[in-house]
Amino acid sequence: MTDENSKSDLKEYAGGWITERRGTAIPPFLVIVSPLIAIAAIIYLFVNINGEVNHLSRGPLVQQLNAVTGSANGFMYIVAAMIAIYVIILAAFLFKKSGHEE
């Protein structure tokens, strides 16, 4: 009897690959850390948008490569925009009340 109750409390996602108990909240640590990691990725992207051009040993090589291949700033801005969209969607998911709880 308890086995049936415990199975009815489980919610399966992705065809049974992921299971969770109904009504389980997202841990506060993940709620705080997830957007911070994504924001750190955007900051890292802007700091190193053209590589480590100021590094003592690699810097001159990176500058030469950038001179030969050209700038990829447009592409990097698109990547940054995609990360920003991800942060917005992630924050909306983390901070909203879950609708699948019964």
Side-chain angles (χ1 to χ4, degrees), residues 80-95:
M82 289 173 26
I83 294 171
I85 291 169
Y86 170 75
V87 169
I88 292 168
I89 293 170
L90 179 67
F93 174 75
L94 289 174
F95 295 110

Side-chain angles (χ1 to χ4, degrees), residues 5-29:
N5 288 341
S6 64
K7 285 187 180 182
S8 67
D9 283 347
L10 296 178
K11 175 80 174 165
E12 291 186 354
Y13 300 99
W17 283 79
I18 302 171
T19 59
E20 73 174 3
R21 293 216 180 275
R22 295 184 191 275
T24 303
I26 299 172
F29 174 76

Side-chain angles (χ1 to χ4, degrees), residues 27-49:
F29 174 76
L30 292 178
V31 171
I32 294 169
V33 170
S34 298
L36 291 178
I37 291 171
I39 291 169
I42 292 175
I43 293 169
Y44 179 82
L45 188 131
F46 281 114
V47 168
N48 293 316
I49 196 161

Side-chain angles (χ1 to χ4, degrees), residues 58-72:
R58 292 187 297 266
L61 295 174
V62 173
Q63 290 173 359
Q64 288 176 358
L65 180 69
N66 287 344
V68 171
T69 60
S71 174

